[in-house]
Amino acid sequence: SEVLLDLYCGSGLLGLSLAHKCASVWGVELVEAAVRDARNNAALNGITNASFMQGDLGKVAASLGKKLPRPDVILVDPNRAGLPPSLVTFLHDTAAARIVYVSCNPATMARDIKNLTQGIQVKTPRRNKSEHALATVGNYELVSVTPVDMFPHTAHVETVVVLQRVGSGLGIKES
């Protein structure tokens, strides 16, 4: 019954593997060839509840909410640069119950988790369009952090972080 938004979806691997547990999966990826591959992977696996679109998440974050249904769960797997501030604001604005963050860069992951849990200052317009106020948004709490050593004998590690919206009533506990 949940709607999953898969950001930086690549060829759809993570979102498609969860599609059987979701009402729908919506993937967004910058690389058009990867979007084609995600659509092909869905078709090859008989997955009919997944849709994929091409877009630069650093630029289209503000307009994404108009194109997609309200997600219950958001899966992000950004490149090493992490999440742009506009996307962090978008994640806050969606009010999704859970965010699953997959990262290959512990430094940018830590920055982004801090912004999602403790807040990020964003400009909010005032009545006079030339004026802006700074507002701090931060409405998620850290539930779990799981390192995954996919590349033994190297310094590289993938990390999976689960966040839940404060007051979501999910009661997710770290196991």
Side-chain angles (χ1 to χ4, degrees):
S1 66
E2 293 184 312
V3 174
L4 172 69
L5 180 55
D6 185 1
L7 304 179
Y8 302 96
C9 68
S11 62
L13 173 70
L14 298 175
L16 291 173
S17 68
L18 298 170
H20 70 283
K21 295 185 176 197
C22 301
S24 61
V25 174
W26 297 83
V28 183
E29 170 59 46
L30 174 64
V31 180
E32 183 62 40
V35 173
R36 277 194 308 276
D37 289 344
R39 290 176 181 146
N40 288 338
N41 287 336
L44 287 170
N45 289 285
I47 298 171
T48 59
N49 64 335
S51 299
F52 298 94
M53 66 178 68
Q54 191 273 332
D56 182 344
L57 289 164
K59 296 178 183 173
V60 302
S63 63
L64 267 181
K66 298 172 187 156
K67 298 177 183 179
L68 301 169
R70 185 187 168 280
D72 300 295
V73 180
I74 299 174
L75 172 63
V76 295
D77 187 2
N79 58 27
R80 296 190 64 75
L83 304 175
S86 61
L87 190 57
V88 172
T89 301
F90 169 78
L91 294 177
H92 284 291
D93 292 346
T94 63
R98 286 185 310 279
I99 297 174
V100 178
Y101 189 121
V102 180
S103 177
C104 63
N105 185 340
T108 57
M109 178 201 63
R111 177 203 67 208
D112 293 340
I113 299 307
K114 179 180 180 247
N115 290 339
L116 289 163
T117 57
Q118 296 178 13
I120 184 172
Q121 287 199 335
V122 296
K123 288 183 178 180
T124 59
R126 290 192 170 174
R127 287 184 186 177
N128 179 345
K129 292 184 181 184
S130 65
E131 294 181 17
H132 289 84
L134 288 179
T136 302
V137 293
N139 48 5
Y140 285 91
E141 60 188 354
L142 183 64
V143 174
S144 66
V145 178
T146 306
V148 181
D149 187 6
M150 295 175 59
F151 310 103
H153 309 292
T154 71
H156 301 288
V157 64
E158 291 284 317
T159 307
V160 180
V161 174
V162 177
L163 303 162
Q164 76 179 9
R165 186 168 179 79
V166 173
S168 67
L170 291 175
I172 299 173
K173 300 277 191 237
E174 185 177 353
S175 53

